[in-house]
Amino acid sequence: MKILYVITLPQLGGAQVHLLTLVTELLKRGHEAAVVVGGAGWLTEQLEERGGHCFVLPTLRREISPCRDFAALWHLRRVIKEYQPNLVHCHSSKAGLLGRIAARSLGVPAVFTVHGWAFTEGVAPMKRRIYECIEWIGGFFSECIICVSEYDCKLGMSILRRHREKMVTIYNGGSEEAPVYMDVLRESLHLVMVARFSQPKAQGNVLQALFCLNECGIKVHVDFVGDGAELDAVRQLAQRLSLSDQVRFLGSQTHVEEILPKYDGFLLISRWEGFPISILEAMRAELPVIASDVGGVCEEVLHGTTGLLVQRDSVDDLTEKLRYAAEHREAFRDMGRAGRKRFLENFTTAKMMERIMSVYEEFR
């Protein structure tokens, strides 16, 4: 079997980690796989190390540009003709639309994985309407639309009713092998948040909550892993709130699984999400999770059992959840143990690949 994957950005992110896992597992199973991506970066480097082939198309960009997008479509058709895959598997909105159109125009079946709809709750109304239209069009060129959470599947079915029969939920998965939590007694709670500094994330809310806790005499330390356009603004807010001794900015890290076990818990405070792989990585490492109750997060984190869910954009609720974790350390620690058990039972690579391969076999 030959599968051609298409994705827009090469930078480290959940969709890129997921795609790298798919390619790696396909190669292990004796199949062929190649990736079309809009530029060189983390993903292309990782694929080359694993023997995966990449086609870099500079015309494939996230921003909407009719001239460039038509050029990208032409280039995609040329790659598909050259590679002659059995199936094209698209990821991300721009690559998802152009890749599916290119494949259908050449008689090659295409499937699309939704890593969180761009019209999900929390997105600006005008942007939501634009992407509803884009995904309605894209649905006509799909054999199957894979949603990474039941939340996204139900949302897609409600908005894109014409394509609801094509939608299926397949949870993301991760390797079972990873370092787990190191039992180290600390005076205060140390948490880590792994996320890019961009509009959907809310690192600023974390800082506001830490400030509120300080007013109550409770100190919590947080390390932020990631970079992005909002990084400088968040750094400045930390300085204004006098939190420099409680927060660290570690930048982008390529081996997050190695640093997770050093912390007491994991944070992911967002305005919208799909089905975050970073939470699965934390659960695998036996870390309890504090995360915004958005998208499919509640399908990963069981509130009060494997972690704590926070109301969207509520600093007050986040403050209370952090206070609970700081004051009930052993109960919080037990949530981490339960989280790893839940990961092993539901979210492994083997379980994900079993479902993905069944889709490939049906539509190739």
Side-chain angles (χ1 to χ4, degrees), residues 25-318:
E25 292 299 316
L26 272 181
L27 295 177
K28 285 181 182 179
R29 288 164 166 77
H31 301 290
E32 295 183 50
V35 177
V36 179
V37 62
W42 177 86
L43 180 60
T44 56
E45 293 170 359
Q46 294 297 313
L47 287 167
E48 288 171 3
E49 288 182 8
R50 290 162 172 77
H53 184 68
C54 296
F55 297 93
V56 176
L57 301 187
T59 52
L60 185 58
R61 302 284 185 85
R62 171 182 283 181
E63 299 78 13
I64 296 176
S65 170
C67 291
R68 188 185 295 122
D69 294 343
F70 276 114
L73 181 61
W74 185 84
H75 288 136
L76 281 166
R77 281 174 48 85
R78 188 175 65 181
V79 170
I80 293 170
K81 286 180 180 179
E82 175 186 338
Y83 191 66
Q84 297 186 340
N86 300 112
L87 182 143
V88 174
H89 189 169
C90 303
H91 300 256
S92 68
S93 296
K94 174 64 76 66
L97 179 62
L98 297 180
R100 283 179 282 176
I101 292 174
R104 175 62 66 86
S105 71
L106 295 170
V108 179
V111 301
F112 174 51
T113 290
V114 181
H115 297 279
W117 293 109
F119 50 75
T120 192
E121 184 180 359
V123 178
M126 181 60 70
K127 184 177 179 181
R128 289 176 67 175
R129 286 193 288 270
I130 291 172
Y131 278 100
E132 285 173 11
C133 181
I134 289 173
E135 296 300 347
W136 183 81
I137 294 171
F140 289 102
F141 300 92
S142 307
E143 302 296 333
C144 179
I145 300 172
I146 300 172
C147 302
V148 297
S149 70
E150 282 295 329
Y151 171 89
D152 277 329
C153 194
K154 291 176 181 178
L155 177 62
M157 287 181 175
S158 67
I159 300 296
L160 309 174
R161 298 181 179 222
R162 177 66 175 78
H163 308 301
R164 60 188 305 162
E165 293 184 359
K166 297 180 179 181
M167 297 183 191
V168 62
T169 299
I170 301 179
Y171 288 131
N172 290 328
S175 169
E176 298 179 25
E177 300 177 3
V180 296
Y181 176 74
M182 301 163 55
D183 280 303
V184 179
L185 182 63
R186 299 183 179 92
E187 183 177 345
S188 59
L189 192 70
H190 283 65
L191 306 175
V192 61
M193 178 167 172
V194 181
R196 66 188 183 277
F197 287 81
S198 61
Q199 183 184 2
K201 312 305 177 184
Q203 287 94 343
N205 287 4
V206 176
L207 299 182
Q208 295 283 359
L210 295 183
F211 178 79
C212 293
L213 287 174
N214 285 349
E215 296 288 294
C216 302
I218 300 172
K219 272 205 170 186
V220 174
H221 293 77
V222 176
D223 285 355
F224 293 101
V225 174
D227 53 22
E230 303 294 323
L231 175 57
D232 287 342
V234 176
R235 283 181 182 274
Q236 292 170 15
L237 178 59
Q239 292 177 348
R240 290 198 301 271
L241 296 177
S242 301
L243 295 172
S244 299
D245 63 332
Q246 289 175 249
V247 301
R248 296 191 301 171
F249 298 90
L250 305 184
S252 182
Q253 302 285 325
T254 56
H255 298 288
V256 174
E257 70 280 359
E258 295 178 4
I259 67 172
L260 287 179
K262 301 176 183 179
Y263 295 92
D264 301 310
F266 182 85
L267 276 174
L268 187 63
I269 305 304
S270 314
R271 296 183 174 91
W272 65 82
E273 287 287 353
F275 193 80
I277 289 179
S278 60
I279 286 180
L280 296 184
E281 292 174 338
M283 293 169 65
R284 179 180 64 184
E286 213 172 89
L287 293 188
V289 176
I290 301 176
S292 299
D293 188 5
V294 294
V297 171
C298 65
E299 297 168 49
E300 297 175 278
V301 180
L302 302 182
H303 181 67
T305 301
T306 68
L308 302 170
L309 295 176
V310 178
Q311 298 172 24
R312 181 203 313 273
D313 253 340
S314 174
V315 173
D316 289 343
D317 193 36
L318 174 57

Side-chain angles (χ1 to χ4, degrees), residues 308-339:
L308 302 170
L309 295 176
V310 178
Q311 298 172 24
R312 181 203 313 273
D313 253 340
S314 174
V315 173
D316 289 343
D317 193 36
L318 174 57
T319 302
E320 287 306 308
K321 297 304 191 303
L322 290 173
R323 179 202 293 269
Y324 178 89
E327 294 180 344
H328 301 82
R329 298 286 292 277
E330 191 54 40
F332 192 54
R333 175 75 190 96
D334 287 341
M335 292 179 190
R337 298 186 182 99

